[in-house]
Amino acid sequence: MFPEALEFHVSGSINNLVEWMLHTFRGFFDWVAEAILGMLMFLNDALSILPWWAYLLIVCILAWLTTRRVATTVTLTLLPLIIGIFGLWELAINTLAIILAAAFISILVGIPLGVLIAESPIAAGFIRPLLDLMQTMPSFVYLIPAVIFFGLGYVPAVFATIIYSLPPIIRLTDLGLNQVSEDVIEAALSCGATRWQLLREVQLPLAVPSILAGINQTTMMALAMVVVAAMIGGGGLGYEVLRAINRIDVGSGFEAGISVVILAIIIDRLTQGLAKRWEPPTVNNS
Amino acid sequence: MEKAIEVSRLWKIFGRDVDHIELNQETISQLEESDEYIAAVCDMSFSVNKGEVFVVMGLSGSGKSTLIRCLLRLIEPTAGSIRINGYDVCGLDQEELTKFRRQQVAMVFQHYGLLPHRTVLENVGFGLKLQGVPEKERLDLSHAWIERVGLQGFENYYPDQLSGGMQQRVGIARALACDPPVLLMDEPFSGLDPLIRREMQEQLCRLQHGMQKTIFFVTHDLEEGMRLGDRMAVMRGGRFVQIGTPEEIIANPADDYVASFVQDKRNASQEVELCSLKH
Ligand SMILES: Nc1ncnc2c1ncn2[C@@H]1O[C@H](COP(=O)(O)OP(=O)(O)O)[C@@H](O)[C@H]1O
Ligand SMILES: [Mg+2]
């Protein structure tokens, strides 16, 4: 046994720190919670207005626009039917709302952060190690601060999902900006580009494929987390999975699991197709 | 004669923390001994006349690219002074430097440096766009230059859809569209097939005939240098070993290095003579 005399607990101080933060930044946390909840409710209402077939139509159009393949389009369009047949349509819409809310906020925060670390070595020195740390932590860990700051319910679920899905978009924005060839940057500078013009006219447009790949990954991470976040009140398909586990109900678990996978496939295909569309033509005579 | 470019005691040293080095006899000899530092441009002083084509020739690694980039501070010189059209280039702050690059100089690169996500038309107008030239005027100028370099019909192509020679025409049109008095060219034709290269050289000559720009032209090809240059400088190890007209350099190479360059040329012209004798 480890000698008891050597034990030293930091849990007390950490609890105090959290207590202090909650007290001091109460206004801020309330504001964040309200913003997240407002956005989620709006998305959920908006998504619920659409009838089920409208989703098939939207998926069909997007799939055709981004992939231009008949087989892919037909498959992607028919897949959501399965969710409906299993009776999980409404839960899937709830899950979709959380994913969209979280991914949207991640992208909104992540792209500027990616630009920041690409431009400033000092910021990169702080943020890159943090991102490494974040990506090595198991997803459950993110539930802890979420619960501490926001209790149980939708808001902490979205919050945990945002934190978990943030690293890829930051990294891939940074990567995309750094990958822009030195030749092109030099040429733009020689034409008299300011730093801002260089970013806006050259680096960001050329980083778009990488940024879109980041959006794809961030959305997929959000989907993965949303299932876990059901443990703290995220609801949706994740809750269905959780309930099936608790009851050892293999059948329901299978139905909910398949529905999550279908959601994942559709989101993945559509966002990936978007990234491919972006590349400028390279072959002779387009 | 009026000078367009005046360079005096220019140094560029690559290595860590080089910006804080005070250059004097002692530190220079230290630099030469250490492996940590590379002096790519060593104490260069020269001037280029207005309206002249000044060719810098040297083997790869002799510091040509570094020198030409120092002239518009794409690479920060370590020490020395550069005057271009009355601008003290090294003394400009960021804002003035941007303005200087927009109005006084333009550069053409060996690897073209075109924007892959922009069409030929947009690439040619890129410099004008950065300056905030109104769209109508920008399009007119871009179309005019596309025509002058012989790219009409390709306005909506993307760079990767064009051959190397055509891409470089875009690069030249982009540089000239801003109408700068000084044109810097870093081995612009080195990546091209000999036939295309010849064609591009002739086109540049024709363009220059109507413009009378000051052209600072870097190459490793003696023939190209002789064809284009009013004056030529041979560079080695960060210094000019000889400056003169192409004829002077051929006739009186200053040292073995220059002579070895010139030797090939002599052999080549002898061969040409032999061929013409046979026929
Ligand atoms: N960014 C750099 N860092 C360190 N050394 C460099 C750098 N750029 C060029 N050099 C060195 O400076 C010398 C001159 O290079 P360069 O100007 O590219 O020659 P050239 O254009 O004549 O081939 C070479 O020895 C090269 O290795
Ligand atoms: Mg070079």
Side-chain angles (χ1 to χ4, degrees), chain B residues 14 38 40 59-66:
Chain B
F14 288 112
I38 298 169
L59 295 178
S60 104
S62 56
K64 308 181 298 294
S65 295
T66 308

Side-chain angles (χ1 to χ4, degrees), chain B residues 92-127:
Chain B
L92 302 175
D93 65 27
Q94 197 57 47
E95 202 172 313
E96 293 165 334
L97 180 64
T98 302
K99 208 167 147 223
F100 167 78
R101 286 171 178 165
R102 286 178 181 178
Q103 296 171 352
Q104 300 298 322
V105 295
M107 187 153 168
V108 178
F109 297 85
Q110 181 180 359
H111 300 113
Y112 324 128
L114 302 179
L115 306 175
H117 61 296
R118 297 284 169 84
T119 61
V120 167
L121 185 66
E122 290 167 329
N123 265 291
V124 171
F126 184 65

Side-chain angles (χ1 to χ4, degrees), chain A residues 75-138:
Chain A
T75 317
L76 287 180
T77 309
L78 294 182
L79 276 177
L81 279 178
I82 299 175
I83 301 180
I85 289 168
F86 287 158
L88 297 171
W89 190 269
E90 216 182 308
L91 293 178
I93 296 296
N94 294 344
T95 297
L96 188 64
I98 298 186
I99 294 171
L100 289 184
F104 179 76
I105 296 174
S106 283
I107 291 161
L108 214 63
V109 175
I111 292 179
L113 277 177
V115 172
L116 180 70
I117 63 176
E119 291 285 301
S120 147
I122 299 174
F126 283 107
I127 298 176
R128 283 215 190 99
L130 199 67
L131 292 180
D132 290 336
L133 186 74
M134 281 169 78
Q135 286 192 316
T136 54
M137 289 213 284

Side-chain angles (χ1 to χ4, degrees), chain B:
Chain B
M1 196 166 296
E2 220 180 329
K3 307 287 184 210
I5 304 175
E6 286 177 272
V7 171
S8 108
R9 316 220 57 177
L10 187 71
W11 286 86
K12 176 63 203 182
I13 294 156
F14 288 112
R16 286 196 322 129
D17 295 332
V18 105
D19 297 337
H20 312 294
I21 290 180
E22 182 106 10
L23 285 178
N24 54 39
Q25 288 298 325
E26 197 184 336
T27 52
I28 288 167
S29 55
Q30 276 175 4
L31 280 175
E32 270 164 14
E33 277 163 33
S34 90
D35 313 331
E36 275 176 65
Y37 299 100
I38 298 169
V41 171
C42 306
D43 203 15
M44 291 184 80
S45 301
F46 62 92
S47 60
V48 178
N49 299 323
K50 266 213 168 86
E52 139 179 272
V53 180
F54 186 82
V55 170
V56 174
M57 206 185 63
L59 295 178
S60 104
S62 56
K64 308 181 298 294
S65 295
T66 308
L67 171 63
I68 199 170
R69 277 167 177 70
C70 283
L71 295 183
L72 73 171
R73 277 174 59 195
L74 285 178
I75 293 177
E76 283 295 331
T78 312
S81 85
I82 300 167
R83 282 192 87 76
I84 294 181
N85 288 335
Y87 286 80
D88 172 19
V89 177
C90 298
L92 302 175
D93 65 27
Q94 197 57 47
E95 202 172 313
E96 293 165 334
L97 180 64
T98 302
K99 208 167 147 223
F100 167 78
R101 286 171 178 165
R102 286 178 181 178
Q103 296 171 352
Q104 300 298 322
V105 295
M107 187 153 168
V108 178
F109 297 85
Q110 181 180 359
H111 300 113
Y112 324 128
L114 302 179
L115 306 175
H117 61 296
R118 297 284 169 84
T119 61
V120 167
L121 185 66
E122 290 167 329
N123 265 291
V124 171
F126 184 65
L128 298 167
K129 186 176 183 192
L130 295 180
Q131 293 180 28
V133 174
E135 179 157 355
K136 168 99 179 53
E137 196 184 335
R138 194 169 80 218
L139 288 177
D140 288 349
L141 275 168
S142 309
H143 280 297
W145 275 105
I146 285 174
E147 202 150 311
R148 278 184 84 171
V149 298
L151 281 177
Q152 56 272 55
F154 292 96
E155 286 85 352
N156 295 320
Y157 280 57
Y158 286 89
D160 286 345
Q161 295 173 299
L162 304 178
S163 69
M166 289 163 95
Q167 290 190 44
Q168 195 57 294
R169 282 166 206 255
V170 178
I172 292 173
R174 172 176 67 187
L176 292 176
C178 298
D179 197 27
V182 175
L183 191 59
L184 307 173
M185 307 181 91
D186 186 8
E187 306 208 23
F189 308 140
S190 295
L192 307 177
D193 297 334
L195 266 177
I196 309 280
R197 190 185 310 173
R198 189 65 188 265
E199 218 176 284
M200 298 288 290
Q201 289 162 0
E202 277 160 14
Q203 182 168 45
L204 183 66
C205 283
R206 276 199 306 278
L207 286 170
Q208 167 66 356
H209 199 72
M211 303 183 303
Q212 295 302 315
K213 305 245 179 238
T214 306
I215 300 182
F216 190 93
F217 192 102
V218 164
T219 179
H220 63 247
D221 177 1
L222 178 72
E223 196 136 350
E224 181 168 81
M226 287 182 43
R227 190 169 298 136
L228 296 172
D230 296 320
R231 277 197 307 151
M232 207 157 93
V234 183
M235 190 163 180
R236 178 192 198 181
R239 296 170 204 271
F240 285 163
V241 288
Q242 190 173 10
I243 302 185
T245 64
E247 295 76 27
E248 281 167 11
I249 290 178
I250 299 276
N252 296 310
D255 63 10
D256 293 349
Y257 178 75
V258 183
S260 69
F261 255 110
V262 171
Q263 193 57 45
D264 290 340
K265 174 64 193 163
R266 284 185 174 156
N267 291 345
S269 55
Q270 273 167 10
E271 269 167 40
V272 171
E273 275 167 34
L274 282 177
C275 287
S276 56
L277 281 180
K278 275 186 206 159
H279 289 288

Side-chain angles (χ1 to χ4, degrees), chain A residues 163-216:
Chain A
I163 302 292
Y164 184 67
S165 64
L166 203 48
I169 184 70
I170 300 180
R171 265 183 206 286
L172 281 156
T173 302
D174 176 31
L175 182 76
L177 292 174
N178 280 317
Q179 264 176 351
V180 174
S181 105
E182 197 56 42
D183 291 338
V184 178
I185 291 179
E186 232 179 10
L189 287 176
S190 81
C191 288
T194 60
R195 199 170 155 154
W196 168 242
Q197 283 176 327
L198 187 68
L199 190 66
R200 201 189 53 191
E201 302 283 336
V202 181
Q203 290 175 293
L204 275 176
L206 288 176
V208 164
S210 179
I211 294 175
L212 288 178
I215 290 179
N216 169 272

